[in-house]
């Protein structure tokens, strides 16, 4: 996010708070009650945003994490496309051998 975006969002929140205050005064609340309720609305919005941020951070759904995941997948896909058919067959054989040996190991540990 660019600095201008952050400034724009901050300005929009400031203006929204003022509009909520004016709306509450128009509805009929006095200036003190309108100020308290407009602050409550802004704090509730901030807490809601914070909870969504924490959820995204804990589930690794952040933009940076997604970009790293997409990059790694693209690199692996490019490497896979560059393999010759012989190299690809060799890797598949190694994977099958590892799967068979891990299956045998797990079967022996269960006995």
């Amino acid at each position: 996010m660019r600095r201008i975006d952050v400034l724009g969002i901050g300005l929009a929140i400031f203006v929204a708070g003022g509009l909520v205050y004016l709306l509450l005064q128009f509805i009929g609340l006095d200036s003190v009650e309108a100020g308290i309720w407009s602050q409550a609305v802004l704090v509730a919005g901030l807490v809601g945003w914070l909870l969504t941020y924490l959820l995204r951070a804990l589930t690794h759904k952040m933009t940076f994490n997604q970009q790293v995941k997409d990059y790694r997948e693209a690199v692996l896909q490019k490497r896979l496309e560059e393999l010759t058919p012989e190299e690809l067959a060799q890797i598949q054989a190694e994977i099958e051998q590892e799967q068979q040996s891990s299956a045998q190991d797990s079967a022996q540990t269960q006995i």
Side-chain angles (χ1 to χ4, degrees):
M1 185 177 289
R2 302 173 305 174
R3 279 184 233 153
I4 191 72
D5 297 334
V6 172
L7 292 173
I9 291 169
L11 181 63
I13 291 171
F14 180 74
V15 169
L19 290 175
V20 169
Y21 173 77
L22 292 174
L23 177 70
L24 290 173
Q25 275 192 328
F26 180 75
I27 289 174
L29 295 177
D30 65 355
S31 63
V32 173
E33 288 180 349
I36 291 171
W37 281 107
S38 64
Q39 287 179 4
V41 167
L42 289 176
V43 168
L46 176 65
V47 169
W49 173 81
L50 181 62
L51 291 175
T52 63
Y53 180 84
L54 289 174
L55 179 67
R56 287 182 289 133
L58 293 174
T59 58
H60 299 288
K61 299 289 185 190
M62 302 291 288
T63 304
F64 175 74
N65 292 333
Q66 191 64 39
Q67 287 174 340
V68 169
K69 180 182 173 190
D70 293 344
Y71 174 77
R72 287 180 181 164
E73 289 176 2
V75 167
L76 289 176
Q77 183 65 31
K78 183 160 178 60
R79 287 183 183 171
L80 185 63
E81 291 171 357
E82 292 174 349
L83 291 176
T84 63
E86 294 82 20
E87 292 171 329
L88 187 57
Q90 179 184 2
I91 290 173
Q92 288 175 338
E94 290 174 7
I95 291 172
E96 289 173 2
Q97 182 181 5
E98 288 177 11
Q99 288 175 345
Q100 290 174 356
S101 65
S102 66
Q104 290 174 352
D105 291 343
S106 63
Q108 288 177 355
T109 57
Q110 291 179 356
I111 296 176

